Amino acid sequence: MKLLLTGGRLVDPATRHDGVADVLVDDGRVVEVGPGLEAAGAEVVDCDGLVACPGLVDLHVHLREPGREDAETIETGSRAAALGGYTAVCPMPNTDPVADNAGVVEMVAARGREVGLVDVFPVGAVTLGQRGVELAELGAMARSAARVDCFSDDGLPIREARLLRLALEYTRAFDAVIADHAEDASLTDGAQMHEGEVSAMLGLAGWPAAAEEMVVARDLLLAQLTGGRLHLCHVSTGGAVELVRAAKARGVRVTAEAAPHHFTLTDEAARSYDPVFKVNPPLREKADVEAVRQGLADGTLDAIATDHAPHAREDKEVEWAAAPPGMLGLQTALALSLTELVGQADPERSVQTGAGGDTRPGHLGLPTAIERLTAGPARCRRLPGHGGPVAPGAPANLAVFDPVAAWTVDRAKLASRARNTPFHGRQLRGRVVHTLLRGSFTVRDGQAQR
Ligand SMILES: [Zn+2]
């Protein structure tokens, strides 16, 4: 299928392109990029007024298959991802069974290919059964057909410094990444929300910022000691952002992500006692939200990752203390980024002019926001063909969106099997129009094609 995307504003962080350009796609690949292209026999897709960019990349999702297909499946999660503008997602290994061996990661990758809505790059577990006792067969997963290049015990921290050190040393041989969920569990036993004024007032057990920052500090020291590649999941506190900034300045091989709920919501949301706002790490304070925004603006935080965590209604719609932590994210991440990071001050003006150099605190120009959703996450791992460039010869993995269209989040209309979005009823700007995976529409005019 030959497609000519005409008249859109092409924002490609990999080539620093930002301007109106046509994109010609043939046989799954980008063939030509430039103004006023003509191509006999190509179907013309009018992108006037829209933004075209590389397909979005999500480093951190939970697709719940195998084991909890009542909450989400690789198919429903892939559909939510495509509708969110994504062409690549990285599911975490905390499934049942745990993805701690070649068989499970190969099954997840194969199911992703079969569904065919996004490329699925599974993350393998660091320790057997995520029990934190002995290393899983990292080499076997790396050599498997799934070619795993990232390992994590996410959901849980790697408690023992010795094991994290071993993993960082061992994975140097195949240049893989260890992604840690930074939480000192001895400080968060029974914790229900961020520890601060609100938790004190509500009488809920607190999850102190120090429990995240201590582990971030430890992890950074071990990355420095071993020379291994460390990635920090869902950074949520100002202190953690500062630690990453200082480590990067002294050359530690570290990358880091932040989740949309951590740059949009605060612990004040817990006052509702609605467990849809319960998440791990928890929603923090306003100063932390500002620090996360600033970390994304200056590149301390490389990527926006959703930590999409669907839960079945009977599990999540219970009293706060009994509810599992986690929120949906795939269909709202782009719009939250545009509304909250780009359009904070003056949505019309900043979206339309949006060059990178806006220096208001916590404010990102449109190209920078797109970088944190595409090339930034792609750089944290090996995800061939994703994150750009949008250039001749590259696979045509693309998202096309309307940067100013307003819409209201309706949990009943999301493609996920679960309903636990904390953004139900919220009006956002920025709507995905088309998503292309290797030149085929996975989403067209806002509709999933499968
Ligand atoms: Zn986590």
Side-chain angles (χ1 to χ4, degrees):
M1 186 168 57
K2 208 171 180 181
L3 292 174
L4 182 61
L5 281 60
T6 60
R9 171 179 170 187
L10 175 65
V11 178
D12 180 21
T15 59
R16 296 184 166 274
H17 186 284
D18 178 12
V20 173
D22 299 344
V23 180
L24 179 63
V25 172
D26 192 14
D27 200 20
R29 291 188 178 270
V30 175
V31 177
E32 207 177 346
V33 176
L37 299 184
E38 282 180 37
E43 182 187 348
V44 174
V45 181
D46 181 8
C47 297
D48 189 27
L50 305 178
V51 173
C53 67
L56 276 50
V57 174
D58 197 341
L59 293 173
H60 192 148
V61 300
H62 299 273
L63 300 182
R64 305 300 189 209
E65 184 178 351
R68 286 308 303 264
E69 291 84 351
D70 58 328
E72 193 78 290
T73 64
I74 292 168
E75 182 180 351
T76 57
S78 292
R79 191 170 295 121
L83 286 163
Y86 288 91
T87 54
V89 299
C90 306
M92 286 294 175
N94 59 339
T95 48
D96 184 12
V98 171
D100 65 356
N101 62 74
V104 179
V105 291
E106 283 179 351
M107 185 283 278
V108 170
R111 182 67 191 132
R113 268 195 306 279
E114 218 170 82
V115 171
L117 286 163
V118 288
D119 281 346
V120 174
F121 296 97
V123 177
V126 176
T127 66
L128 269 181
Q130 294 192 297
R131 285 187 296 273
V133 178
E134 55 189 316
L135 288 188
E137 289 182 8
L138 310 183
M141 288 188 269
R143 287 188 303 272
S144 75
R147 301 201 162 279
V148 176
D149 74 321
C150 180
F151 301 92
S152 179
D153 274 356
D154 182 63
L156 300 165
I158 301 165
R159 290 196 194 207
E160 251 193 72
R162 179 186 65 91
L163 278 175
L164 176 59
R165 176 186 183 171
L166 273 178
L168 284 165
E169 280 172 348
Y170 181 57
T171 49
R172 279 190 64 177
F174 39 97
D175 201 33
V177 183
I178 304 296
D180 199 22
H181 164 123
E183 173 181 1
D184 185 313
S186 72
L187 286 175
T188 60
D189 192 28
Q192 294 295 330
M193 63 173 294
H194 171 68
E195 182 173 308
E197 266 175 51
V198 182
S199 68
M201 186 165 294
L202 299 180
L204 289 172
W207 194 138
E212 176 170 335
E213 291 156 6
M214 285 164 56
V215 176
V216 166
R218 179 202 72 169
D219 291 4
L220 291 167
L221 291 169
L222 290 175
Q224 188 164 7
L225 174 68
T226 59
R229 285 177 71 188
L230 172 69
H231 178 77
L232 293 164
C233 298
H234 42 53
V235 170
S236 72
T237 78
V241 173
E242 194 44 56
L243 286 164
V244 175
R245 186 176 286 127
K248 283 189 166 184
R250 62 177 196 272
V252 176
R253 296 174 81 197
V254 60
T255 54
E257 68 188 36
H261 46 268
H262 286 130
F263 63 70
T264 52
L265 299 171
T266 69
D267 59 346
E268 292 289 335
R271 290 184 192 276
S272 67
Y273 287 105
D274 183 341
V276 80
F277 296 111
K278 185 173 172 181
V279 64
N280 184 1
L283 302 175
R284 303 284 187 187
E285 298 173 18
K286 192 156 186 291
D288 297 307
V289 169
E290 291 303 326
V292 167
R293 289 175 176 225
Q294 192 51 41
L296 285 167
D298 69 19
T300 299
L301 303 177
D302 303 82
I304 295 168
T306 64
D307 195 6
H308 178 83
H311 288 293
R313 288 178 87 146
E314 65 271 24
D315 293 331
K316 187 70 169 169
E317 293 175 19
V318 295
E319 65 168 316
W320 181 285
M327 302 171 162
L328 300 184
L330 284 166
Q331 283 179 259
T332 47
L334 174 64
L336 285 164
S337 303
L338 295 171
T339 308
E340 296 285 334
L341 300 177
V342 177
Q344 205 180 11
D346 180 355
E348 298 291 342
R349 193 198 64 83
S350 54
V351 167
Q352 278 156 19
T353 61
D358 200 315
T359 54
R360 275 170 291 171
H363 186 275
L364 280 67
L366 182 70
T368 307
I370 289 175
E371 203 274 342
R372 306 295 185 254
L373 289 159
T374 59
R379 202 174 48 234
C380 298
R381 289 190 53 179
R382 278 192 302 274
L383 304 172
H386 292 278
V390 182
N397 298 324
L398 301 166
V400 177
F401 63 88
D402 181 330
V404 291
W407 62 288
T408 302
V409 181
D410 180 348
R411 64 188 161 215
K413 289 188 179 156
L414 298 177
S416 176
R417 185 161 276 190
R419 292 285 170 267
N420 54 304
T421 173
F423 302 108
H424 178 67
R426 189 158 169 145
Q427 199 185 73
L428 300 175
R429 274 170 184 278
R431 197 176 180 105
V432 173
V433 180
H434 310 301
T435 311
L436 288 121
L437 182 65
R438 281 179 287 281
S440 297
F441 285 102
T442 53
V443 170
R444 182 162 202 172
D445 298 320
Q447 303 296 319
Q449 298 299 289
R450 274 193 292 284

